[in-house]
């Protein structure tokens, strides 16, 4: 409809001085909306590669035990492999404080309103976190199974954590993350005797989404299964 | 709600592609893969807030959903497996390459 006189092309019976044709043009973009993040991620990846640092992006629901696993991991690797940690949370530096004093530099990113870490924020803090000795960089993402999966941080590996107090079918409910994570750590297995947790059903769910996933079952609390996790990390650090 | 930050990034990207003579973005064509991790409804909900005060503020979103397609390394076929597992829809091999389904792409925009 013509905005100036209200006529439509059908009842176009009078002459106009103004132009009816609204000129529009098509701009072809074919651009990923995540392009900007991906560029920062690529820069991070390059930076890490030049320094032979292997980065792990640790993603899980809130409360699945990322920080406890990292505490015990830093203890176990303390005199063997130089580690560094970037911890992301919406607010507080509680995680960074828990992880401090274990021989590894730790930085905290407070994302404020954001539900995920992005590559730009991680890039800003990389140089001040990693040292020339660093071999493994753990990036503890904001506790969230959905949003962090969409943002490449420049890591080598996404690690998904799933605690036994969550449902066995979580990988089926949140397939995006589990399809991107070649390693899944099932945490808090010391609680299994108290729960109706079916480990086989959980393994099936993980493998249904990612058939080649490496599944590591641990209790950071009593140490069960930690050997497999630490062994995996040592292997990663030795690959460079 | 990472859709809001995606919407903000997209609007910034579109603004950058505009020339000074362009007065408004009328329409935005997007491709959203089923395993992109982007919830279309959330993105539509977030978009007006991201576009507020920009030349995209009155733009219409035209969103095309892209199915997951995998190419099987065992039997060589391209199939659309049922969501969410990436396995060959013909021979059920797990040795597949994901051809599409992850994209979140601005295909084009109509500007006036």
């Amino acid at each position: 409809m013509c905005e100036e006189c209200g006529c439509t092309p059908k009842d176009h019976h009078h002459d106009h001085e103004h132009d009816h044709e609204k000129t529009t043009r098509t701009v072809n973009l074919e651009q990923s909306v995540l392009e900007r993040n991906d560029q920062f991620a690529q820069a991070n990846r390059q930076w890490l590669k030049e320094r032979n640092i292997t980065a792990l992006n640790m993603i899980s629901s809130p409360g699945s035990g990322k920080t406890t696993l990292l505490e015990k991991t830093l203890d176990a690797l303390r005199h063997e492999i130089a580690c560094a940690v970037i911890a992301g949370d919406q607010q507080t530096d509680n995680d960074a404080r828990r992880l401090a004093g274990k021989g590894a530099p730790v930085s905290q990113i407070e994302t404020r309103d954001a539900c995920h870490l992005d590559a730009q924020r991680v890039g800003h803090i990389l140089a001040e976190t990693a040292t020339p000795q660093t071999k493994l960089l753990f990036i503890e993402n904001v506790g969230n199974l959905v949003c962090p999966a969409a943002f490449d941080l420049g890591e080598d590996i996404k690690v998904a954590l799933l605690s036994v107090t969550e449902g066995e079918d979580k990988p089926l409910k949140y397939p995006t993350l589990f399809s991107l994570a070649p390693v899944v750590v099932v945490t808090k297995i010391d609680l299994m005797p108290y729960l109706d947790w079916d480990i086989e059903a959980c393994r099936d769910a993980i493998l249904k989404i990612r058939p080649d996933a490496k599944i590591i079952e641990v209790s950071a609390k009593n140490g069960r299964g930690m050997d497999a996790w630490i062994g995996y990390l040592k292997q990663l650090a030795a690959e460079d | 709600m990472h859709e809001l930050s995606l919407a903000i990034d997209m609007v910034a990207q579109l603004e950058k592609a505009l020339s000074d003579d362009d007065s408004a973005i009328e329409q935005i064509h997007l491709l959203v893969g089923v395993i992109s991790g982007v919830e279309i409804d959330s993105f539509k909900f977030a978009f007006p807030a991201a576009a507020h005060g920009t030349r995209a503020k009155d733009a219409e979103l035209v969103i095309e959903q892209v199915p997951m397609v995998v190419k099987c390394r065992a039997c060589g076929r391209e199939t659309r497996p049922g969501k969410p597992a990436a396995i060959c829809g013909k021979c059920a091999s797990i040795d597949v390459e994901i051809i599409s389904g992850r994209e979140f792409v601005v295909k084009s925009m109509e500007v006036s």
Side-chain angles (χ1 to χ4, degrees):
Chain A
M1 192 168 75
C2 169
E3 282 179 6
E4 292 192 33
C5 65
C7 72
T8 62
K10 256 199 293 188
D11 52 37
H12 206 253
H13 56 279
H14 58 276
D15 292 329
H16 284 88
E17 301 222 329
H18 59 269
D19 187 7
H20 264 185
E21 290 289 316
K22 202 171 187 181
T23 53
T24 62
R25 68 182 177 106
T26 304
V27 182
N28 285 311
L29 291 156
E30 296 289 349
Q31 253 175 30
S32 165
V33 176
L34 283 159
E35 191 174 80
R36 195 163 157 271
N37 183 74
D38 291 345
Q39 283 167 357
F40 281 109
Q42 213 39 51
N44 293 349
R45 191 163 279 122
Q46 187 61 31
W47 193 93
L48 292 161
K49 196 178 164 206
E50 283 163 8
R51 287 155 186 82
N52 273 332
I53 299 171
T54 302
L56 297 96
N57 183 0
M58 317 273 289
I59 304 176
S60 76
S61 318
S64 66
K66 290 186 294 299
T67 312
T68 303
L69 180 68
L70 283 177
E71 281 180 303
K72 298 299 166 80
T73 302
L74 295 183
D75 284 339
L77 293 175
R78 185 160 191 167
H79 301 293
E80 286 188 65
I81 296 168
C83 299
V85 182
I86 294 174
D89 276 300
Q90 278 204 313
Q91 287 192 23
T92 81
D93 62 352
N94 290 357
D95 283 359
R97 284 195 277 118
R98 274 175 65 187
L99 295 167
K102 295 184 181 294
V106 181
S107 301
Q108 179 84 43
I109 298 176
E110 285 184 63
T111 61
R112 298 288 166 187
D113 292 329
C115 47
H116 57 271
L117 288 176
D118 62 52
Q120 187 177 14
R121 285 188 201 213
V122 169
H124 280 158
I125 213 165
L126 268 184
E128 63 184 79
T129 310
T131 69
Q133 286 74 39
T134 303
K135 293 294 287 177
L136 291 180
L137 171 68
F138 298 96
I139 305 171
E140 184 185 340
N141 219 311
V142 178
N144 181 336
L145 272 184
V146 183
C147 311
F151 293 82
D152 182 8
L153 303 179
E155 73 276 351
D156 295 281
I157 297 154
K158 281 186 172 64
V159 178
L161 278 77
L162 172 61
S163 70
V164 300
T165 54
E166 302 168 53
E168 295 98 337
D169 59 349
K170 221 157 206 188
L172 303 176
K173 290 177 173 168
Y174 299 88
T176 304
L177 169 63
F178 287 91
S179 72
L180 293 171
V183 180
V184 179
V185 182
V186 178
T187 59
K188 307 190 188 183
I189 58 166
D190 54 290
L191 293 175
M192 274 170 55
Y194 313 103
L195 302 163
D196 296 325
W197 171 264
D198 183 346
I199 188 72
E200 282 308 321
C202 178
R203 284 189 199 126
D204 284 352
I206 294 167
L207 295 175
K208 198 165 181 189
I209 302 301
R210 173 103 189 192
D212 63 346
K214 182 179 178 63
I215 304 171
I216 304 174
E217 293 148 21
V218 304
S219 163
K221 195 178 167 74
N222 70 16
R224 210 174 119 204
M226 283 298 283
D227 283 355
W229 167 242
I230 296 299
Y232 169 71
L233 293 174
K234 284 183 182 171
Q235 191 190 323
L236 271 187
E239 274 170 15
D240 289 332
Chain B
M1 256 319 263
H2 63 302
E3 283 81 3
L4 178 60
S5 43
L6 293 176
I8 292 169
D9 278 356
M10 181 189 75
V11 170
Q13 231 169 314
L14 299 181
E15 284 268 18
K16 225 193 262 180
L18 290 174
S19 73
D20 291 344
D21 300 335
D22 296 323
S23 60
I25 300 171
E26 306 281 336
Q27 220 176 43
I28 302 164
H29 293 253
L30 288 158
L31 298 178
V32 181
V34 290
I35 51 165
S36 65
V38 178
E39 189 53 55
I40 290 176
D41 286 344
S42 302
F43 187 78
K44 283 182 177 166
F45 178 77
F47 174 71
H52 182 76
T54 74
R55 283 182 281 180
K57 67 180 178 3
D58 296 318
E60 178 198 357
L61 294 178
V62 180
I63 298 179
E64 193 183 321
Q65 209 178 31
V66 183
M68 173 160 61
V69 176
V70 300
K71 185 175 169 60
C72 180
R73 292 193 188 94
C75 74
R77 289 193 181 88
E78 279 187 20
T79 52
R80 288 186 187 187
K83 245 176 96 182
I87 55 169
C88 176
K90 274 279 178 231
C91 72
S93 166
I94 60 170
D95 191 12
V96 296
E97 183 193 346
I98 295 177
I99 304 278
S100 74
R102 289 210 200 283
E103 46 279 268
F104 184 40
V105 169
V106 189
K107 210 169 149 187
S108 62
M109 62 178 170
E110 300 294 317
V111 300
S112 60

